[in-house]
Amino acid sequence: MSPLAHRRFLKMNGLGNEIVVLDLRGTGAVVRPEEARAIAADPRSRFDQLMVLHDPRGPGAEASLRIYNTDGSEAGACGNGTRCVAWAMREDPRMGRPGGRLVLESRAGRLAVDRVSATVFTVDMGPPRLAWDEIPLAEPFPDTRRIELQIGPIDDPVLHSPGVVSMGNPHAVFFVDRDPAGYDLARIGPLLEAHPIFPERANISLAQVIDRGRIVLRVWERGAGLTRACGTAACAALVAAARLRLTGREAVVSLPGGDLTIAWGEDDHVRMTGPTELEWEGSLAPGLFAGAA
């Protein structure tokens, strides 16, 4: 039997981004890709990201995170999921702990989380990575504010010249002059996600700058598909826009699931503030893993 059988989980959302929180601290259990896919396939535990807590590796952290997409691949960071974990570690009776700053380890580095109100948290996502080999890209681009990439006819492309940023995972942000909902992102997204220029694939965003303090954003998320919200994409969009002087260094980013406030501080750290919501709790049925042995 899988060590994940009967494990308790929390089904949450961060701005409509579906999150499952699974606490494996104190165990030697690890989620395998096929097990992540099985969990995602169950309507009760369906997720955009699965946030798995393990024991911290170093001093000063409360937990180490492994983050899975619906296809079983791992993500380096998930801002909306990190806020959900922070709520769970503050409020869930079986995970809760006293208040104060929370520090979580991730593949993207240490993430510090502060509580703003009962359900709103700010995550310090750290500095953006802007060099072509840090994002990474498959070939050198000295200026990643806009790179040579387009989709559609060469003389009339549908999308072109994205800004590229890593917020622990790679993002390509295409700036558009009309509502991003008017583009067929479900068709375009998979093509661009897997473009050879992105050796680790990429999250694909369409961003409309309304004014210097507001961006409207739609996201095709690497390994997950269309999503109502993506915290790292919101961070990447603000950084990409600010680098082009389309916005200031702080803006509200409006996604289909709601608004996030993103601030790129003078210390180079990007901070994301937004809500969390607990939907239900459940346990993982043993039958989920019958085909994942």
Side-chain angles (χ1 to χ4, degrees):
M1 180 182 295
S2 168
L4 303 181
H6 303 296
R7 284 281 173 187
R8 176 176 179 264
F9 69 86
L10 299 181
K11 177 65 185 296
M12 301 188 67
N13 81 74
L15 219 67
N17 195 191
E18 292 188 86
I19 303 295
V20 166
V21 178
L22 184 63
D23 189 358
L24 296 182
R25 289 175 296 171
T27 78
V30 175
V31 177
R32 293 177 290 144
E34 58 269 29
E35 291 171 324
R37 291 192 293 269
I39 295 169
D42 185 341
R44 288 282 297 170
S45 55
R46 192 257 178 264
F47 61 79
D48 293 316
Q49 272 74 43
L50 171 65
M51 310 293 293
V52 183
L53 280 72
H54 294 279
D55 293 316
R57 297 183 298 272
E62 299 297 333
S64 177
L65 296 177
R66 292 184 71 171
I67 305 168
Y68 297 83
N69 300 313
T70 56
D71 66 357
S73 62
E74 288 195 52
C78 174
N80 288 326
T82 300
R83 294 199 315 276
C84 290
V85 169
W87 181 92
M89 295 185 73
R90 291 286 183 265
E91 294 296 327
D92 181 75
R94 295 177 50 184
M95 294 175 61
R97 62 177 292 279
R101 170 165 283 197
L102 180 70
V103 177
L104 300 168
E105 297 170 334
S106 77
R107 284 173 53 187
R110 288 193 164 206
L111 305 175
V113 191
D114 292 299
R115 191 169 204 162
V116 177
S117 68
T119 59
V120 175
F121 292 82
T122 296
V123 182
D124 182 344
M125 300 296 293
R129 299 178 181 98
L130 304 174
W132 71 271
D133 54 346
E134 294 178 322
I135 292 168
L137 301 176
E139 60 187 73
F141 282 89
D143 186 354
T144 56
R145 291 177 297 177
R146 290 190 183 275
I147 67 167
E148 295 175 15
L149 176 63
Q150 68 179 46
I151 192 164
I154 192 168
D155 56 347
D156 188 23
V158 177
L159 299 170
H160 65 91
S161 308
V164 285
V165 179
S166 174
M167 291 302 310
N169 43 20
H171 290 267
V173 182
F174 291 86
F175 291 98
V176 296
D177 57 8
R178 58 187 172 90
D179 187 349
Y183 293 81
D184 189 359
L185 189 54
R187 181 183 64 83
I188 296 169
L191 300 175
L192 290 168
E193 174 192 353
H195 192 282
I197 195 65
F198 304 119
E200 297 179 7
R201 299 185 294 160
N203 299 270
I204 305 301
S205 293
L206 307 184
Q208 180 189 23
V209 176
I210 304 301
D211 55 43
R212 291 188 60 78
R214 183 167 174 245
I215 300 169
V216 174
L217 192 68
R218 284 188 77 212
V219 182
W220 175 271
E221 198 162 2
R222 179 185 65 167
L226 283 175
T227 184
R228 290 180 56 76
C230 177
T232 57
C235 294
L238 182 279
V239 168
R243 294 182 79 201
L244 292 171
R245 303 189 184 278
L246 301 175
T247 66
R249 292 176 69 97
E250 180 171 346
V252 172
V253 180
S254 297
L255 296 120
D259 293 347
L260 293 170
T261 299
I262 310 297
W264 186 13
E266 294 303 320
D267 61 357
D268 201 34
H269 284 226
V270 181
R271 293 172 177 85
M272 173 194 59
T273 301
T276 63
E277 181 183 12
L278 173 66
E279 296 181 359
W280 60 75
E281 64 176 84
S283 61
L284 299 174
L288 283 179
F289 309 108

